[in-house]
Amino acid sequence: MSTQRLNAISLSAQRKAIPIVEETRRSELFGKHVFNEDRMTQYLTKDAFQSVKNAIFTGSKIDRKMADQIAESMKAWALSMGATHYTHWFQPLTGATAEKHDAFFDLLPNGRAIEKFGGSQLVQQEPDASSFPSGGIRNTFEARGYTAWDPTSPAFIYGATLCIPTVFVSYTGEALDNKVPLLRALHAVDEAATGVARYFDKTVNKVLATLGWEQEYFLIDKTLANSRPDLVLAGRTLVGQAAAKGQQLDDHYFGVIPLRAINYMKDLEVECTKLGIPVKTRHNEVAPNQFELAPVFEEANLAVDHNLLLMDVMEKVADRHDLKVLFHEKPFAEINGSGKHNNWSLATDTGVNLLSPGSTPMKNLQFLTFFVNTIKAVDTYEELLRASIASASNDHRLGANEAPPAIFSIFIGKQLSEVLDELEGVSQGKLSPEEKTELKLNVVGKIPEILLDNTDRNRTSPFAFTGNKFEMRGVGSKSNCAKPMTVLNTIVAKQLINFKKEVDALINKKSLKKDEAIFNILREYIKSSKRIRFDGDGYSEAWSKEAAKRKLSNNKTTPDALNVLSSKSTLELFNEMGVMSEVEIKARQEVELETYILQTQIEGRVFNELVNTHIIPAAIKYQNSVIDNIKGIKDIYGTGFKKQAVAQLTILEDISGHLEATRKKSEAMTEARKKANAEKEVHKKAMAYCYDVRPYFDDIRYHCDKLEQLVEDQSWPLAKYRELLFIR
């Protein structure tokens, strides 16, 4: 067996679980490292505290004098917690987070040392933006970019650094990050939803979008993972024969969590609790060594920040447990991939979940209003939602047997479908007394009872209603939730604005009562958005054909999915809602395409390395031993040796065939990459990588995996699936 693989297997098999002892209750630890409301009341003056609260809830600006007070208090708290540095923590278009640390340490003119941190350092910094993707918003030689404090997401201490969540913008004001468009979208949905919510409760002053993500991931022994160049550089196994045992026995899902994994989870949860990330659920997922973590729902902007922070913490905690976290959506072929389900809803400042039915017909009419408007929004902009979850890595998962298809549809369940069918029959114009009674008592009034028995969900649906929220299931496990949440909140905001205009018109021009006007408009929305509702098997060929008849998009690849970003309807939507300008949208489209190209290019290069320096040499080495064996048989049996060496000759021919195919396919893939690289226009280049380069990956893998089956185990250089997935 190759030395590296043997050493990795031996070392991983000897690992012992690192015991974690929790001496403090989680409730006492929660937010210990966060400059939250409790800390602010301790360290800020009354006026400073109120200015931060106003900024959070009304979006008012904090003046520089007040910012100095806040910075001084924040510094005092951070130093008391052992912090030595501070950083603006932001989300460039790389999909990850970024930070540049500065010490509190400074020198006075007389040479004395002090700890310094003022309002100017808190509110704004100017990091070098030249190496971050911008999609052509600024020239490469123009390095200016600005980070600006986001007071809606509290500062926190990570390690010995005070981290201040910020937005990231160009010198000319365009968003260079994922947070700015999200904040704009959340503001848009707040205003639009508040206007509609006041039909039912005049005391509503604010509506928050809430998000509860579910983070799926794989845990692999660090040494085994590091022995595979493809896992190190591409995040997934480009080659590898499936193990004899995978997930077919369903014995891992919700099973007893392995000891090393549970101790890792305990350690992780303690760190998360200190950082104010409200982790709650943990369990084994479907595939071997696959797990899931989920928190309590939070306001969407904070939830996005917490998910990004979580992924960083997960990797650092895993390292001290000699584990490697894999966030790639499909790190292993033929077993379950990983998603990040986004559970979304809207909540008022009066404490009401707008997607949860209530105890009265009026509360249920409120529920139906937001429920139907969300369906209508998804129906109108389903292609844009698909684009929001597009990536090279997620393309491997979408449409596979464990994930929703690339076709967007909404699952609401049989009972709610029946409710909508009844509402579809509402009379146009004024309602008769009998119809009002029937609707309020027997249709709308019974919704809570219906939902009690309607808690199941269709796992093949990309967008499913699950009792009091919608679950967007197609989001990739390593994605930034800000992208789909920006789109979802924007389209719902747009739809609610349209709804209110139509309802008000019926009230003012047709003299309809409010509930009559609402029922009339909902009826039309139910009819016009019927195509997006589907309760069946999303994987079936029948649904694919039916979806085509319904004119639903089916963009299976990222380059195809991203086309919609530059469409007239998309540009008008984001511009009208004040979420993104045309420049910002097209910049993001270019960045996403460039990222797709580069990720595919990297995988192609790793393939070449694996084939030429690992797989072909190993196969040739074993082939030589087979040849030596055949020669020995020939020496003994002479010309009749072939009868005695049938198996050896067959193996020799099979190895030779797969070796030659591997070499040819690898060379052809390299030539296709060179040709793709010659394309100047980014979309054509992405299409070339998608349709001319990537198809070779499956061909090369097929022959490499056949060689893995033929070459003796001790000669194979790469850690196998059975080792990666079952050594715990």
Side-chain angles (χ1 to χ4, degrees):
M1 189 179 294
S2 69
T3 303
Q4 186 179 23
R5 178 176 162 220
L6 176 63
N7 290 343
I9 293 170
S10 177
L11 186 58
S12 61
Q14 296 172 37
R15 303 273 198 214
K16 301 296 182 183
I18 299 173
I20 302 297
V21 179
E22 296 187 54
E23 298 178 348
T24 307
R25 290 183 180 180
R26 300 277 178 92
S27 58
E28 295 173 11
L29 278 181
F30 186 71
K32 181 180 178 182
H33 291 176
V34 182
F35 196 64
N36 54 23
E37 194 167 312
D38 287 344
R39 303 294 160 340
M40 285 192 282
T41 55
Q42 294 174 35
Y43 283 86
L44 296 182
T45 64
K46 185 177 179 181
D47 288 344
F49 177 67
Q50 192 57 50
S51 69
V52 175
K53 296 283 283 183
N54 290 341
I56 293 171
F57 290 104
T58 67
S60 62
K61 290 186 177 180
I62 298 173
D63 64 50
R64 190 54 62 94
K65 183 179 178 181
M66 198 62 71
D68 285 333
Q69 291 184 34
I70 296 166
E72 189 63 35
S73 299
M74 199 180 284
K75 180 190 74 175
W77 169 73
L79 292 175
S80 74
M81 295 292 292
T84 59
H85 289 69
Y86 64 91
T87 182
H88 277 199
W89 186 77
F90 57 103
Q91 305 172 26
L93 297 178
T94 58
T97 60
E99 51 197 63
K100 182 186 77 170
H101 296 202
D102 284 305
F104 288 117
F105 174 85
D106 207 346
L107 289 176
L108 294 173
N110 61 9
R112 287 181 56 207
I114 60 167
E115 276 77 29
K116 184 180 179 182
F117 181 64
S120 58
Q121 288 82 32
L122 168 64
V123 172
Q124 183 175 300
Q125 279 192 326
E126 186 184 339
D128 183 347
S130 59
S131 294
F132 290 116
S134 71
I137 285 179
R138 46 151 190 78
N139 294 316
T140 303
F141 61 81
E142 294 174 330
R144 278 193 173 182
Y146 294 96
T147 51
W149 178 33
D150 171 20
T152 64
S153 186
F156 58 91
I157 292 174
Y158 190 36
T161 303
L162 173 67
C163 299
I164 303 156
T166 59
V167 300
F168 183 40
V169 297
S170 71
Y171 177 72
T172 49
E174 290 91 359
L176 292 174
D177 69 350
N178 289 301
K179 182 185 271 277
V180 169
L182 175 64
L183 290 173
R184 292 171 181 165
L186 294 175
H187 175 69
V189 83
D190 171 19
E191 288 196 331
T194 298
V196 174
R198 283 179 178 163
Y199 281 143
F200 309 97
D201 183 356
K202 298 293 185 184
T203 66
V204 173
N205 291 311
K206 190 175 183 63
V207 172
L208 296 173
T210 62
L211 170 63
W213 38 261
E214 302 167 26
Q215 181 69 59
E216 295 176 341
Y217 61 99
F218 281 83
L219 272 183
I220 307 298
D221 182 86
K222 180 170 66 176
T223 306
L224 283 170
N226 289 340
S227 73
R228 297 264 322 210
D230 47 1
L231 278 178
V232 172
L233 298 176
R236 74 179 180 104
T237 54
L238 298 178
V239 298
Q241 177 63 31
K245 179 181 183 295
Q247 63 191 47
Q248 62 266 50
L249 295 178
D250 297 323
D251 53 345
H252 185 69
Y253 190 51
F254 278 24
V256 176
I257 301 173
L259 187 57
R260 284 182 71 191
I262 193 68
N263 283 0
Y264 160 76
M265 291 176 182
K266 288 177 182 178
D267 199 359
L268 171 66
E269 288 168 3
V270 168
E271 294 296 326
C272 288
T273 302
K274 292 176 183 176
L275 291 165
I277 305 172
V279 292
K280 185 174 179 66
T281 302
R282 65 190 185 203
H283 62 83
N284 290 359
E285 254 299 333
V286 173
N289 277 356
Q290 187 187 33
F291 307 94
E292 181 179 294
L293 176 153
V296 177
F297 281 52
E298 297 182 285
E299 184 274 325
N301 177 46
L302 182 58
V304 168
D305 282 1
H306 277 165
N307 181 251
L308 290 168
L309 177 57
L310 168 91
M311 290 193 287
D312 185 45
V313 177
M314 286 176 75
E315 291 183 326
K316 290 182 179 178
V317 173
D319 190 61
R320 62 185 184 231
H321 286 260
D322 294 312
L323 294 167
K324 173 77 173 175
V325 179
L326 302 182
F327 290 117
H328 194 285
E329 284 79 4
K330 198 74 173 177
F332 302 99
E334 296 186 41
I335 62 172
N336 198 52
S338 296
K340 178 150 45 193
H341 304 169
N342 279 207
N343 295 280
W344 171 89
S345 191
L346 295 170
T348 68
D349 58 346
T350 58
V352 175
N353 179 351
L354 294 171
L355 286 173
S356 182
S359 56
T360 67
M362 183 55 73
K363 290 180 180 178
N364 293 329
L365 181 56
Q366 175 178 265
F367 157 73
L368 278 171
T369 294
F370 286 92
F371 178 68
V372 173
N373 272 282
T374 301
I375 293 173
K376 175 66 174 172
V378 174
D379 176 64
T380 305
Y381 295 103
E382 47 88 15
E383 194 169 11
L384 186 55
L385 275 176
R386 165 66 182 96
S388 75
I389 59 173
S391 70
S393 54
N394 209 21
D395 281 357
H396 292 286
R397 171 177 165 265
L398 292 178
N401 288 336
E402 81 288 344
I407 305 167
F408 250 79
S409 64
I410 295 179
F411 168 81
I412 63 172
K414 180 182 176 182
Q415 292 87 346
L416 278 174
S417 291
E418 290 173 355
V419 169
L420 296 194
D421 289 343
E422 290 198 53
L423 289 174
E424 193 178 334
V426 171
S427 298
Q428 190 168 353
K430 292 187 178 181
L431 308 180
S432 67
E434 293 79 15
E435 194 170 24
K436 280 187 179 182
T437 301
E438 170 66 19
L439 282 172
K440 290 183 177 179
L441 295 181
N442 297 323
V443 180
V444 179
K446 290 186 177 179
I447 288 175
E449 299 170 28
I450 289 170
L451 290 184
L452 285 175
D453 298 315
N454 191 33
T455 56
D456 197 14
R457 60 181 176 177
N458 185 334
R459 296 190 64 81
T460 68
S461 174
F463 204 86
F465 184 71
T466 55
N468 60 0
K469 62 189 182 299
F470 280 99
E471 181 181 20
M472 192 171 175
R473 300 191 64 251
V475 183
S477 53
K478 71 175 186 179
S479 297
N480 184 334
C481 298
K483 291 192 288 185
M485 286 299 100
T486 296
V487 171
L488 180 57
N489 285 290
T490 301
I491 65 175
V492 171
K494 169 63 175 170
Q495 179 53 46
L496 289 172
I497 289 171
N498 292 347
F499 172 77
K500 190 171 188 307
K501 286 179 182 177
E502 293 182 58
V503 170
D504 288 346
L506 288 184
I507 294 172
N508 297 328
K509 295 178 182 178
K510 301 290 185 180
S511 300
L512 294 184
K513 291 184 178 179
K514 179 182 66 180
D515 55 350
E516 288 178 323
I518 290 172
F519 276 125
N520 271 261
I521 300 302
L522 292 182
R523 177 197 63 229
E524 297 307 313
Y525 287 172
I526 292 166
K527 289 179 181 178
S528 63
S529 63
K530 210 165 185 176
R531 66 165 191 158
I532 201 72
R533 286 160 42 199
F534 177 66
D535 291 353
D537 181 4
Y539 302 137
S540 68
E541 184 63 29
W543 166 235
S544 183
K545 292 178 181 178
E546 174 61 24
K549 289 180 183 178
R550 297 186 187 189
K551 297 184 178 178
L552 292 170
S553 66
N554 186 10
N555 296 319
K556 295 180 180 179
T557 71
T558 292
D560 290 322
L562 293 176
N563 278 331
V564 73
L565 292 183
S566 53
S567 69
K568 182 180 178 182
S569 62
T570 298
L571 297 175
E572 288 177 348
L573 167 73
F574 284 118
N575 182 61
E576 180 186 341
M577 300 310 298
V579 173
M580 281 187 281
S581 66
E582 181 173 339
V583 169
E584 290 171 324
I585 299 165
K586 290 185 175 180
R588 276 155 180 74
Q589 183 183 45
E590 183 164 331
V591 168
E592 295 286 348
L593 288 169
E594 284 282 5
T595 301
Y596 178 88
I597 291 165
L598 293 172
Q599 288 178 345
T600 310
Q601 185 183 76
I602 289 168
E603 288 193 352
R605 289 173 173 172
V606 174
F607 252 123
N608 285 136
E609 180 184 343
L610 289 174
V611 166
N612 294 321
T613 66
H614 290 73
I615 293 167
I616 288 179
I620 290 174
K621 183 179 179 181
Y622 179 61
Q623 189 181 45
N624 287 336
S625 68
V626 175
I627 291 171
D628 289 342
N629 179 265
I630 293 170
K631 286 179 177 178
I633 293 173
K634 186 176 181 181
D635 288 344
I636 295 172
Y637 292 97
T639 56
F641 80 97
K642 288 185 179 180
K643 291 182 181 180
Q644 313 302 324
V646 172
Q648 293 92 325
L649 289 167
T650 301
I651 291 171
L652 187 64
E653 289 175 5
D654 286 347
I655 290 175
S656 295
H658 290 300
L659 273 173
E660 179 61 8
T662 299
R663 184 190 65 80
K664 279 187 175 181
K665 295 290 184 182
S666 182
E667 288 180 356
M669 182 263 289
T670 301
E671 289 305 309
R673 277 202 348 256
K674 290 178 181 177
K675 189 175 179 181
N677 289 336
E679 287 283 359
K680 301 300 181 184
E681 200 274 313
V682 68
H683 186 259
K684 288 182 180 178
K685 190 172 184 177
M687 293 294 281
Y689 263 98
C690 180
Y691 290 103
D692 299 336
V693 177
R694 282 184 72 147
Y696 283 110
F697 292 1
D698 289 338
D699 293 341
I700 297 168
R701 178 176 194 138
Y702 170 80
H703 294 290
C704 289
D705 291 354
K706 287 297 183 183
L707 286 171
E708 182 181 332
Q709 289 178 291
L710 290 167
V711 173
E712 65 175 346
D713 186 64
Q714 66 180 15
S715 297
W716 194 252
L718 302 171
K720 296 188 175 185
Y721 271 30
R722 68 167 184 263
E723 295 148 5
L724 292 166
L725 293 169
F726 292 98
I727 293 179
R728 298 174 179 172

